[in-house]
Amino acid sequence: MLKNYLLVAIRNIFRNKLFSVVNILGLAFGMGSALLIFLWINDELRVDKFHQRVDRIYRVMENQHYTDGRLFTFNSTPGPLAPFIKDKYPEIVFASRFTWPVNELFQVGDKSFFEEGRYAEQDFLDMFSFTLSSGDITSALKNKNSIVISKSMAEKFFGKEDAVGKVLVMNTKHSFTVTGVLNDIPKNSSFQFDYLISFQFFWDENKSWLDRWDNNNIRTYVMLEEGTSLPDFQNKFKDEIKGHVEKSETELIVQPFGDSYLHGNFENGKPSGGRIEYVAIFLIVAAFVLVIACINFMNLATAQASKRAKEVGLRKVIGAFPYQLFRQFMGESFFTVLLSAVIAVVLVVIALPGFNELTSKNLGLFLLDARIALIFVGIVVFTAFLAGSYPAIFISDYKPVEVLKGQLKSGSASLFRKALVVIQFSLSIILIISTIVVFRQMNFMEKRDIGFVRDNVFYMWMQGDMNKKFETIQTQLSQNPSIESVSSSGQLLIDIGNSTTNVEWKGKSDDDRILFSVLSVDYNFIQMMKMEMVEGRMFDKSIITDSTNYIVNEKAASKFGFINGVADQDLTLWKRKGKIIGVVKDFNFGSLHNPIEPLILRVQDISDQNFGGCLLVRAKKNQTAAALQAAEKIAKEYAPAYPFKYSFLNQDWEDFYKAEGDRGKIFNALAGLSIFISCLGLFGLSAFSAERRTKELGIRKVLGATRPGLVGLLGKEFAVLVLVSAAVGCPVGWYLMNKWLTNYAFHIEVGWISLIAAASACMIVSLLTVAYHSLKVSAANPANSLRYE
């Protein structure tokens, strides 16, 4: 029986080659795209889950309350926190401080490279499941001058020799002994680093600002005892900062480490999304594309059903039961889906390298992996039942008498097919609207006037003696004919991470707690970045008092409550008294997702040898290469031990949104694929419609119908369906994208243009698809058409 069903299925595939190819290709593309997206989702959901005790590890965060009604949640914590709470709370087994990524220069003999790593404590290795290929993981970071390095870093400096016990020199002056070599860190780890240095070294070097409870600057991770009640611990733990900082309104919270990657956004002190939103979006989009492919199959299967009506009628007459017929046609559908699945796997293998590059992943189609195999089988079974169930029910329900008498009616099936086409194109229009809006928003962010000019600006972090000799360097570079201006800042302008509430002004209430970002700059910083002043003046090096004066942005000025203007008002920052000499126009110094925050600019103290800082150079137009050569010469003169390393401000700004831009490209591909699959189905349906109406069109042609009239007659049916789809899809797409745009403080409007463009694209592509068969049939000889059976 099964052999017979299989033979019948194969015969039907070859008997209806066009419809079979359309079905198989449509399902293959739909299943392939769904499989690709599910591989990405599977990888996202597994990030950090390889840690054996991940369910007991938490990151410590702060909910900071401010008197202007805002509540910020940060993952930065005070330096003394980790060892203090480990001693105080018996529920805490391990507690480790962990810094932000740092790039440091390491040397061995004549080899020197910048490497990215972190400072951490021994407890970090004890709680997380990172492993060493050599060295003792239980003591690798116990000594102040210990360093654990990755395999790639070990090979870079020591070749095939065992690196343990070898010495690395950092920044030409600090020596560290290698106490362990890390096995490759899994790609699905949110922590990626090439080395770990004992936090004790970092503490001793920076104790002056680290040893303060009102200074948040590092990350803290804890592992709790098994069986600890999280709500009870949270209640005991939350007011710890208030016990060390007077008038503090800061509460501590803990977030499960396993949730932190996907649920990184907070609102009102509670998780409010993050990357999980994109997981949900792509899950829905993958389902859309798969459903569109299944609709193709259902439409073409029911459209072709009349060709098998007599077969069904005869089978029923000789005793076949409906469930047997259902089983037969479901089996045929499953066979078609299996063929499509094989092609889908090939498509995924071909697409994976490009997809990995786009998503910065290392995905592989390992069908022997239980989870991936389950995903693949799930897609196949889901597709088979969704695509094949209705056609199987529809065909197996034929009445033998009606079929054998030639009285078969297909009105309900025709209506159902039209409904499916409407659903199909509605989903496609929603995807096209999404693609257009995402593209426009990415373009808006790239080209938006952010309040300063970032073109032709490159920067490098001052190393060696560059900080001490900054004024000399500035003079030398400014004299170069290829350079327009030179300045410096304490932090990168587009990534200011320094903020404080330690600001005093006349009229401030004792209860006021307002968070201000702070940026230390050179005197000519505002001129160099071509910012606009709205009040007062810029810093002036010839005015001695400007070394202690301040410039604020408009947002900060609005917080002071001064009635007669801001310029010349007294301001104290970190107990340093000065005056506000001007107000700079608000500019974006962070992500466009967030509103502009209050900012205070102060003149940097170049005598501070710990300052470091960023050297900024604006090259003249079309002279960047010469400017870079001049900067490299200076760097080799004042920091000869350090490789010349620079970045472009414009490129960094674009990199902020690279991940979103890449996701937008995936959206583009999926939207294009959905249109392609929809048009495949429309191609098959129009072929069926043209074939079914061959005799009718011949009669119309004999009676005087023109060729354009016949083409319009066939196209009208599908044009109406696309218009109905637009009426459904446009409002839904508008609503969804409006909601998505609320993630950005600065954004475009969806607008009618996006809706009209999406509907027009669907209409044009669908009519072009239908036109092929319409022109073919309308050009046929009427005599042949009238003889058509």
Side-chain angles (χ1 to χ4, degrees):
M1 184 65 73
L2 288 175
K3 181 181 177 181
N4 182 53
Y5 285 165
L6 183 61
L7 288 173
V8 172
I10 293 172
R11 285 196 197 108
N12 274 297
I13 287 174
F14 282 100
R15 186 177 300 154
N16 302 287
K17 295 183 182 66
L18 173 64
F19 299 106
S20 297
V21 169
V22 168
N23 270 335
I24 292 171
L25 281 182
L27 288 175
F29 279 110
M31 293 169 70
S33 60
L35 181 56
L36 207 56
I37 295 300
F38 281 125
L39 288 175
W40 178 83
I41 291 173
N42 175 60
D43 189 78
E44 289 285 283
L45 294 176
R46 295 177 73 175
V47 168
D48 292 328
K49 298 301 190 298
F50 65 91
H51 295 291
Q52 295 175 4
R53 295 174 289 192
V54 69
D55 57 327
R56 294 166 55 195
I57 301 173
Y58 298 85
R59 68 170 177 171
V60 181
M61 306 184 73
E62 289 190 353
N63 279 337
Q64 299 180 5
H65 298 263
Y66 295 93
T67 50
D68 55 2
R70 295 185 297 174
L71 190 159
F72 290 117
T73 301
F74 295 114
N75 65 348
S76 291
T77 54
L81 179 67
F84 183 87
I85 59 176
K86 183 181 178 181
D87 289 340
K88 181 174 180 179
Y89 298 99
E91 296 93 335
I92 297 177
V93 180
F94 298 118
S96 176
R97 291 167 287 192
F98 192 61
T99 65
W100 56 89
V102 289
N103 272 285
E104 306 289 11
L105 178 72
F106 287 91
Q107 293 172 292
V108 172
D110 60 350
K111 296 179 181 178
S112 63
F113 303 97
F114 278 103
E115 303 290 342
E116 184 175 282
R118 314 274 189 123
Y119 295 90
E121 295 177 282
Q122 178 60 43
D123 276 15
F124 181 83
L125 292 177
D126 290 335
M127 75 173 88
F128 291 103
S129 299
F130 298 110
T131 59
L132 301 183
S133 61
S134 61
D136 183 3
I137 199 165
T138 62
S139 60
L141 291 178
K142 282 189 174 179
N143 296 323
K144 174 182 173 179
N145 289 88
S146 296
I147 184 172
V148 174
I149 63 177
S150 67
K151 274 187 176 181
S152 61
M153 185 172 170
E155 290 178 5
K156 191 182 293 186
F157 286 101
F158 306 111
K160 299 298 182 182
E161 295 181 41
D162 185 3
V164 173
K166 299 289 198 301
V167 176
L168 285 164
V169 178
M170 183 178 78
N171 295 334
T172 71
K173 53 186 176 181
H174 300 293
S175 296
F176 295 91
T177 302
V178 178
T179 53
V181 177
L182 286 159
N183 285 314
D184 292 334
I185 297 174
K187 295 293 184 182
N188 61 343
S189 171
S190 59
F191 294 143
Q192 296 291 333
F193 45 80
D194 279 311
Y195 66 86
L196 292 174
I197 294 177
S198 172
F199 189 84
Q200 187 61 49
F201 173 83
F202 187 76
W203 175 270
D204 290 346
E205 290 289 307
N206 302 281
K207 190 174 180 180
S208 60
W209 54 269
L210 264 178
D211 192 14
R212 294 175 53 183
W213 283 89
D214 61 349
N215 194 341
N216 300 303
N217 37 60
I218 60 167
R219 284 70 171 141
T220 299
Y221 295 91
V222 298
M223 190 178 87
L224 302 183
E225 284 279 7
E226 196 167 359
T228 298
S229 169
L230 190 60
D232 291 345
F233 174 73
Q234 186 89 13
N235 286 331
K236 291 169 58 178
F237 175 71
K238 67 178 182 179
D239 293 326
E240 192 59 56
I241 300 295
K242 296 178 182 179
H244 298 272
V245 179
E246 188 179 352
K247 296 182 180 179
S248 173
E249 293 296 327
T250 297
E251 291 181 349
L252 291 176
I253 61 171
V254 292
Q255 182 187 28
F257 177 70
D259 295 343
S260 59
Y261 175 77
L262 290 176
H263 301 270
N265 295 345
F266 283 75
E267 188 173 344
N268 296 321
K270 305 290 183 183
S272 62
R275 293 180 69 94
I276 191 66
E277 295 173 358
Y278 286 99
V279 170
I281 288 170
F282 281 116
L283 178 63
I284 293 169
V285 171
F288 274 16
V289 176
L290 192 55
V291 167
I292 287 170
C294 291
I295 286 174
N296 271 1
F297 187 95
M298 295 163 73
N299 264 336
L300 293 176
T302 53
Q304 289 285 300
S306 59
K307 292 185 176 182
R308 303 189 65 181
K310 286 186 178 180
E311 174 194 341
V312 173
L314 288 172
R315 285 182 182 274
K316 282 194 171 185
V317 166
I318 60 176
F321 292 101
Y323 78 86
Q324 291 175 312
L325 293 169
F326 174 82
R327 189 169 60 190
Q328 175 191 345
F329 289 108
M330 275 300 299
E332 291 182 16
S333 298
F334 195 77
F335 179 70
T336 304
V337 170
L338 284 178
L339 290 177
S340 302
V342 173
I343 298 173
V345 168
V346 174
L347 293 174
V348 169
V349 170
I350 293 171
L352 262 177
F355 188 76
N356 280 333
E357 184 177 348
L358 193 62
T359 58
S360 300
K361 293 282 189 182
N362 189 33
L363 305 177
L365 187 59
F366 307 111
L367 292 177
L368 295 180
D369 182 304
R371 285 174 66 105
I372 294 177
L374 187 61
I375 290 171
F376 179 67
V377 171
I379 290 174
V380 171
V381 172
F382 173 83
T383 305
F385 276 96
L386 181 61
S389 56
Y390 178 76
I393 294 171
F394 176 77
I395 296 172
S396 61
D397 196 43
Y398 281 161
K399 303 293 187 293
V401 175
E402 292 178 357
V403 170
L404 297 177
K405 284 185 176 181
Q407 298 174 342
L408 184 64
K409 297 178 181 178
S410 59
S412 61
S414 176
L415 186 63
F416 182 73
R417 284 197 300 275
K418 290 178 180 178
L420 289 179
V421 170
V422 169
I423 293 171
Q424 191 177 44
F425 275 94
S426 295
L427 296 178
S428 296
I429 286 172
I430 292 169
L431 287 176
I432 294 173
I433 291 171
S434 302
T435 298
I436 293 172
V437 173
V438 169
F439 173 80
R440 288 178 56 215
Q441 177 64 18
M442 294 301 109
N443 189 56
F444 167 79
M445 291 193 298
E446 182 181 341
K447 297 183 178 179
R448 169 181 159 79
D449 179 7
I450 57 176
F452 60 88
V453 179
R454 57 186 187 271
D455 295 335
N456 302 317
V457 176
F458 63 89
Y459 67 90
M460 51 186 172
W461 295 101
M462 289 189 274
Q463 309 282 4
D465 291 331
M466 293 179 71
N467 182 59
K468 291 186 290 186
K469 301 292 185 180
F470 169 71
E471 290 185 336
T472 303
I473 291 171
Q474 186 179 37
T475 300
Q476 289 178 339
L477 287 175
S478 297
Q479 292 172 348
N480 189 287
S482 64
I483 292 174
E484 183 178 316
S485 56
V486 181
S487 190
S488 65
S489 61
Q491 294 175 292
L492 191 58
L493 174 62
I494 58 176
D495 190 22
I496 301 173
N498 194 13
S499 58
T500 184
T501 59
N502 196 351
V503 182
E504 304 292 333
W505 63 89
K506 187 177 179 180
K508 179 186 177 184
S509 167
D510 290 341
D511 297 326
D512 277 345
R513 293 188 75 254
I514 298 174
L515 190 67
F516 294 87
S517 293
V518 181
L519 180 64
S520 299
V521 299
D522 185 43
Y523 287 94
N524 71 332
F525 179 82
I526 292 176
Q527 296 98 309
M528 183 206 171
M529 298 312 303
K530 300 185 179 181
M531 297 173 178
E532 182 181 338
M533 298 294 292
V534 296
E535 184 181 346
R537 62 176 176 83
M538 302 179 190
F539 291 120
D540 188 339
K541 195 172 184 178
S542 65
I543 301 175
I544 297 175
T545 54
D546 271 9
S547 63
T548 57
N549 286 335
Y550 303 101
I551 291 175
V552 300
N553 69 351
E554 294 174 284
K555 193 63 178 285
S558 69
K559 300 294 182 182
F560 299 133
F562 298 135
I563 298 174
N564 299 318
V566 174
D568 209 36
Q569 298 286 349
D570 292 331
L571 188 72
T572 301
L573 170 66
W574 292 320
K575 303 190 184 304
R576 190 180 85 164
K577 294 182 179 180
K579 287 186 178 293
I580 301 173
I581 61 170
V583 178
V584 66
K585 185 177 180 180
D586 281 342
F587 60 90
N588 291 98
F589 55 89
S591 171
L592 293 178
H593 285 275
N594 305 317
I596 295 172
E597 299 295 338
L599 173 68
I600 299 174
L601 299 173
R602 66 167 188 163
V603 173
Q604 64 190 29
D605 182 4
I606 60 172
S607 65
D608 181 0
Q609 300 307 312
N610 294 320
F611 171 72
C614 179
L615 177 68
L616 294 147
V617 179
R618 181 181 296 280
K620 290 181 180 177
K621 191 174 182 180
N622 300 323
Q623 296 191 48
T624 302
L628 282 170
Q629 286 180 351
E632 184 177 11
K633 183 179 178 181
I634 289 290
K636 287 181 178 179
E637 180 180 351
Y638 293 100
Y642 292 82
F644 178 59
K645 188 177 181 181
Y646 65 91
S647 298
F648 286 96
L649 199 60
N650 226 352
Q651 186 61 53
D652 280 10
W653 180 261
E654 291 172 9
D655 288 346
F656 267 157
Y657 308 102
K658 183 179 183 301
E660 291 172 271
D662 290 344
R663 286 190 283 263
K665 292 175 184 177
I666 297 173
F667 247 104
N668 294 346
L670 290 173
L673 190 60
S674 73
I675 285 291
F676 174 72
I677 295 172
S678 297
C679 288
L680 270 181
L682 204 59
F683 184 81
L685 279 178
S686 61
F688 171 76
S689 178
E691 180 183 322
R692 183 168 53 90
R693 301 177 69 178
T694 300
K695 186 173 288 187
E696 173 198 340
L697 294 174
I699 293 172
R700 286 179 179 274
K701 201 165 186 180
V702 168
L703 294 176
T706 62
R707 189 174 179 183
L710 293 175
V711 172
L713 180 67
L714 285 171
K716 179 181 176 183
E717 176 186 354
F718 297 102
V720 170
L721 295 179
V722 176
L723 286 174
V724 174
S725 301
V728 174
C730 284
V732 175
W734 178 86
Y735 171 78
L736 292 175
M737 294 318 295
N738 256 335
K739 191 171 182 180
W740 178 73
L741 286 170
T742 60
N743 291 318
Y744 297 88
F746 303 91
H747 59 78
I748 61 168
E749 298 297 327
V750 175
W752 286 103
I753 294 176
S754 299
L755 307 184
I756 293 171
S760 300
C762 267
M763 179 64 75
I764 292 169
V765 173
S766 61
L767 290 180
L768 287 174
T769 303
V770 172
Y772 170 78
H773 293 295
S774 303
L775 289 169
K776 184 179 178 182
V777 173
S778 64
N781 189 326
N784 295 331
S785 299
L786 293 175
R787 286 198 299 267
Y788 179 80
E789 289 294 337

